Amino acid sequence: MRRALRSAVAALLLAVGGASARAAPPVDPFQALDNPARIDADCRRLQRDLKADERALEQARADTLLPALDALQQRAEALVGPLDLLAAVHPAKPIRDAAERCSSAVQGFFAAFLQNRRVHARLLALEPADAIDAQARRDRLDAFEDAGIALAPAARQRAREINRELTRLGQDFERRVREERTRVAFRVDELAGVPESVWRTAPRDAQGRVLLGLDYPTLDPVLQKAERAGTRERLWRAGNARGGAENLRVLARLADLRREYARLFGLDSYADFVLRRRMAGSAAAVGSFLDAVRQVAAPREADDLALLRADKARLLGSEPAQTVLQRWDVEYHLERVRRAQFAVDQDALRVHFPPEASLRFVFAIAQRLFGVRAEPLGPAPWHPDAQAFRIVEVADGRTLGTLYVDLYPRPDKYGHAAMWPVRAGAAGVQPVAALVANLDRHGLSLDELETLLHEAGHAFHALLSQTRYAQHGGTNVLLDFVEAPSQMLEDWVYDPAVQALFAQVCAECTPIPRDTLERAARARDFAKGWRTMRQLLFASYDLALYGPTGGATRETPLALWTRLESATPLGHVPGSRFPASFEHIAGGYAAGYYAYQWSLAQAEDLRSAFAADKLDPAVGRRYREAVLAPGGEQPPAELMRRFLGRPASNEAFFRWLRQP
């Protein structure tokens, strides 16, 4: 899921309080956001309205305070939610820049608002009417506390300054990655093994060489299929140079500022600051979890790399002990060994999964499981490739919300796959979400279909919640739970009964043979140790950067990364600078990247309820009502207990991790 690159306080607002207008939204919340001047004017008007709302809140009656606080955030998100998406996907830079300006200004308002002592005093005096109000009050008080309401005046002022700077730096970091225009030139013979569809229509330079960019539909197949190691190396190095030295300086400054922010509260590190509000509770608990995963995954990684090194040795006619496996070799030999062992070529599977049919397939799964259907509304306003859908309750025809889908890569667009919770739903408010990806127009591999379903899991989490307040709507849950509903659904693409839905949505599509699907399911877990250990490296780096010993004043982000990556079996490649494009930890996943593994453990547990039938509508309805509908109104552990009928457990996750 996408957590916008915001300040510490604004990120918390997304975690414990959504925002959108109380009235039902228009069909197109983007319709007025068509030029920078209009965006600037609307943003100034919004800030005036928010100040007026703040003055009213200072006098609000106790019985209206929680709804009024929710309405304030809803008013802000009605504009800023769409703008946060446009900043990432709009093709026009003036629109993106105007969207960033407005987002930054509104974050500045909330950083100050959450230090309003009169509103805070009224919230302290509030007697909650029931458990939902008690949770809402508790979450609001946490937000005020984390904004510095209890700090001395000078420290409160410094907290606001830090938050403004974090917002600006985060936007700079993301923009530099998104607007990366590097092109690497190759002769056609240097692209041997790469599917022609990847490079045939690419631009050429004056010498007739093919110019390849760093978008994932280009980068991944080159690293997986290019027969020449030099070709793979050049594109790998370019991909690991994104963001450049300037983003490394920005990341250092972000780490320093976040550490300073935590110390305003008497805490040693930013990790201590954020983890005290999460499921994990502490850096020690996260460390213990990651260590337990590492104990299982590390031996498997060694076996995986031995297989890849042996494959390279066979290819070169050398001895494995004398063969060096480079980082740009890994995906290539993974693909070779996987094809040899399982007879599965991910690229050859694209013929079965055209992109638009794949989207209809995802909607068919949602209809079977959740009882909702997607009805086309037409193109989205920012680009002809993007589409809008109305999400409708099948049983009674009610419109539940709006989903925007933007599937294909283009210059200056956000480069990964993510879901934007544009507007959180609540009583009387329909949610709006956006699914953004960068898929191959010629068709999806099973890996990409899995990614599409992952982001759709986030989208339906956002669209199917039914909460009293928008602050709890949809994906406004604790960060270390937010990935669980999406990761749970990834497994669905390998189920033959689920794949049978493809014939219903695309009669002309060639069904994937059952034996191919079964081999692909086995191949999916190949090199599980390597991939898990790579994720643990990312999580460990994030925690180290934002832990007591992290930050620019002691060890630079690149020096820290070099040290940690050098301790891995493949070591560190001098000159590479992966942290310069590690957008997650520059933004809302700072001190939170561990959440992917933590949530995966929960996803495996949730998945166990669907073991007999992944399309069982009764289990799907129970899951929708117990896990998706409550949003953040209850702790994640309680949601899982209600759905599973027992306390949550990591047992299924570690069993999966140990399986061959």
Side-chain angles (χ1 to χ4, degrees), residues 79-124:
L79 179 62
V80 176
L83 289 179
D84 281 343
L85 175 64
L86 292 183
V89 301
H90 203 285
K93 183 171 175 55
I95 295 289
R96 297 197 304 270
D97 290 347
E100 288 185 357
R101 283 195 301 273
C102 185
S103 181
S104 181
V106 174
Q107 301 320 312
F109 164 80
F110 276 109
F113 171 78
L114 288 175
Q115 294 182 357
N116 186 311
R117 299 171 80 82
R118 292 178 180 174
V119 176
H120 180 249
R122 289 184 174 276
L123 194 58
L124 280 173

Side-chain angles (χ1 to χ4, degrees), residues 56-57 59-71 122 126 469:
L57 277 165
Q59 308 299 324
R61 299 195 322 268
D63 61 337
T64 67
L65 186 59
L66 289 174
L69 282 166
D70 210 52
R122 289 184 174 276
L126 174 68
Y469 301 118

Side-chain angles (χ1 to χ4, degrees), residues 14-37:
L14 287 184
V16 300
S20 41
R22 291 302 290 181
V27 172
D28 178 13
F30 301 90
Q31 60 187 352
L33 306 178
D34 53 0
N35 68 78

Side-chain angles (χ1 to χ4, degrees), residues 212-327:
L212 296 184
L214 303 177
D215 56 287
Y216 283 89
T218 301
L219 186 65
D220 285 357
V222 171
L223 294 179
Q224 291 170 358
K225 296 295 185 68
E227 295 172 1
R228 294 195 180 189
T231 298
R232 300 194 302 271
E233 179 181 358
R234 289 172 61 204
L235 207 62
W236 184 91
R237 286 185 180 275
N240 277 270
R242 283 175 293 186
E246 185 56 36
N247 261 11
L248 291 175
R249 287 191 287 271
V250 168
L251 189 57
R253 183 63 177 153
L254 287 167
D256 239 14
L257 286 170
R258 284 173 170 143
R259 179 171 176 272
E260 181 186 354
Y261 195 87
R263 289 200 163 181
L264 291 175
F265 296 82
L267 298 169
D268 287 339
S269 74
Y270 187 70
D272 292 329
F273 177 79
V274 297
L275 288 171
R276 77 200 204 285
R277 303 290 190 206
R278 302 218 177 120
M279 291 182 73
S282 69
V286 173
S288 295
F289 171 75
L290 296 181
D291 285 344
V293 177
R294 188 175 290 108
Q295 288 179 14
V296 178
R300 299 199 59 168
E301 179 191 36
D303 293 341
D304 294 339
L305 294 178
L307 277 175
L308 303 186
R309 188 174 290 107
D311 184 65
K312 183 175 180 179
R314 282 192 298 272
L315 191 64
L316 297 179
S318 60
E319 290 296 321
Q322 280 72 53
T323 302
V324 178
L325 189 69
Q326 302 286 1
R327 291 206 173 270

Side-chain angles (χ1 to χ4, degrees), residues 66-232:
L66 289 174
L69 282 166
D70 210 52
L72 173 75
Q73 290 188 295
Q74 290 175 51
R75 184 194 290 274
E77 196 176 68
L79 179 62
V80 176
L83 289 179
D84 281 343
L85 175 64
L86 292 183
V89 301
H90 203 285
K93 183 171 175 55
I95 295 289
R96 297 197 304 270
D97 290 347
E100 288 185 357
R101 283 195 301 273
C102 185
S103 181
S104 181
V106 174
Q107 301 320 312
F109 164 80
F110 276 109
F113 171 78
L114 288 175
Q115 294 182 357
N116 186 311
R117 299 171 80 82
R118 292 178 180 174
V119 176
H120 180 249
R122 289 184 174 276
L123 194 58
L124 280 173
L126 174 68
E127 288 292 332
D130 57 18
I132 292 176
D133 275 12
Q135 185 68 52
R137 175 181 178 271
R138 187 178 308 116
D139 292 340
R140 295 291 186 190
L141 287 172
D142 287 348
F144 275 90
E145 180 183 336
D146 289 357
I149 190 70
L151 297 177
R156 285 202 307 273
Q157 176 60 32
R158 181 57 183 153
R160 290 197 297 271
E161 292 169 355
I162 289 173
N163 274 300
R164 284 196 294 269
E165 184 71 357
L166 288 172
T167 298
R168 183 187 66 80
L169 290 171
Q171 290 176 339
D172 289 348
F173 189 101
E174 182 185 46
R175 187 187 315 112
R176 204 166 282 112
V177 176
R178 187 182 64 238
E179 296 181 358
E180 174 72 56
R181 293 298 187 96
T182 296
R183 296 291 182 270
V184 184
F186 296 100
R187 299 189 312 272
V188 170
D189 64 290
E190 293 178 305
L191 297 174
V194 180
E196 194 174 340
S197 61
V198 173
W199 55 265
R200 184 177 57 246
T201 60
R204 309 289 179 110
D205 66 8
Q207 287 76 47
R209 294 177 301 177
V210 178
L211 298 175
L212 296 184
L214 303 177
D215 56 287
Y216 283 89
T218 301
L219 186 65
D220 285 357
V222 171
L223 294 179
Q224 291 170 358
K225 296 295 185 68
E227 295 172 1
R228 294 195 180 189
T231 298
R232 300 194 302 271

Side-chain angles (χ1 to χ4, degrees), residues 311-354:
D311 184 65
K312 183 175 180 179
R314 282 192 298 272
L315 191 64
L316 297 179
S318 60
E319 290 296 321
Q322 280 72 53
T323 302
V324 178
L325 189 69
Q326 302 286 1
R327 291 206 173 270
W328 49 84
D329 293 331
V330 172
E331 292 301 327
Y332 177 71
H333 290 285
L334 273 174
E335 191 66 16
R336 274 176 50 89
V337 175
R338 187 160 52 184
R339 287 203 307 271
Q341 290 194 3
F342 304 102
V344 172
D345 181 348
Q346 283 283 338
D347 197 61
L349 300 180
R350 297 185 188 280
V351 65
H352 302 295
F353 307 117

